[in-house]
Amino acid sequence: MNQPLLFLDVDGPLNPYAAQPERRPDGYITLRVPLENRAAWEPGRLRTRLKPLRVWLNPEHGPALLGLGYELCWATTWMGDANRWIGPALGLPELPFVDFGDALLAERPDGVHWKTEPLVAYAKGRPFAWVDDEQSDIDHAHVAVGHNAPALLHHINPRIGLRTHDFTALADFASSHGVTSG
C-alpha cells in the first residue's frame, strides 16, 4: 500500500476519441469492439450502438504505465470490460476497477463530476493520480476538501491522448511520494 493509485480513464487518455476520425494517431492500433446492442457511452450521450466501437490504443502506453510506480486501477465507464478489451491490447495485467454503480453517468447538482466521489471513496485516504479528459476546477476543489492525502487530477486532451509530458507529470507526482519509476 505504499504505492499511490493511478486511476485510468480509457476514452480520452488512452483512446483519443476526439482525434480526427479519419486519421489514426501515429503509433496507435485500431480495435473494433463489438457492443451488440448494448447501451454504450459516447461523450455527451448514452445510446444504443449496433456497430462496433472504434478504439485507438498505443501499445507503448502499457509498459510506460507499468513503469511509473503506481498501483493501476481502471476508472472508466468500461469498468471490468477494460480488462477484456483495453488491457490486453496495451500489455497490461488484469487490473482492479472502480465499480461506479448508481453514480455511473449521474449528473450532480453541485457540478462535481460523477466519478469524483467514487474515486475518493475507493482511494480511502491513499495518494492518487487520476487521468481523465473531464475533470474541472470543481473536482479539484472537491478532492482538496474531501481527500486527506495528495491527489493529482491530470487532465488529458481527448484529441491527442497521453503524451510524454503527461507521463513525466505522473512520474514526478509518484516520486514526490517516495516512489521511483521502474
Side-chain angles (χ1 to χ4, degrees):
M1 266 228 212
N2 59 350
Q3 293 177 301
L5 288 161
L6 176 53
F7 292 122
L8 295 168
D9 183 31
V10 170
D11 296 315
L14 296 173
N15 170 29
Y17 68 86
Q20 294 179 0
E22 68 281 354
R23 295 194 51 166
R24 180 177 66 198
D26 290 340
Y28 282 71
I29 61 170
T30 301
L31 222 67
R32 298 283 178 191
V33 179
L35 295 176
E36 302 170 1
N37 296 325
R38 284 189 8 205
W41 168 249
E42 291 185 352
R45 61 187 169 156
L46 185 65
R47 69 179 211 129
T48 300
R49 177 179 271 286
L50 299 174
K51 65 181 183 171
L53 177 66
R54 186 243 330 133
V55 179
W56 285 329
L57 298 170
N58 185 332
E60 293 179 10
H61 286 166
L65 289 165
L66 290 170
L68 288 172
Y70 285 87
E71 179 183 322
L72 304 179
C73 181
W74 297 118
T76 174
T77 57
W78 290 74
M79 292 192 275
D81 284 341
N83 284 317
R84 179 176 179 199
W85 297 102
I86 308 304
L90 298 177
L92 294 174
E94 187 163 320
L95 302 176
F97 64 91
V98 178
D99 183 343
F100 292 107
D102 291 340
L104 186 65
L105 305 174
E107 285 192 39
R108 290 178 46 142
D110 60 1
V112 172
H113 191 278
W114 59 269
K115 287 183 184 177
T116 304
E117 191 58 38
L119 296 181
V120 168
Y122 188 98
K124 295 180 184 166
R126 288 175 62 187
F128 72 83
W130 171 25
V131 292
D132 206 311
D133 61 312
E134 296 183 349
Q135 310 105 324
S136 70
D137 290 341
I138 295 170
D139 300 301
H140 286 266
H142 185 80
V143 170
V145 169
H147 185 64
N148 295 325
L152 171 67
L153 280 64
H154 190 73
H155 186 267
I156 304 295
N157 182 333
R159 291 189 172 142
I160 60 174
L162 284 166
R163 293 288 189 234
T164 302
H165 69 274
D166 301 309
F167 285 99
T168 300
L170 292 167
D172 290 348
F173 180 79
S175 68
S176 72
H177 299 289
V179 176
T180 56
S181 300

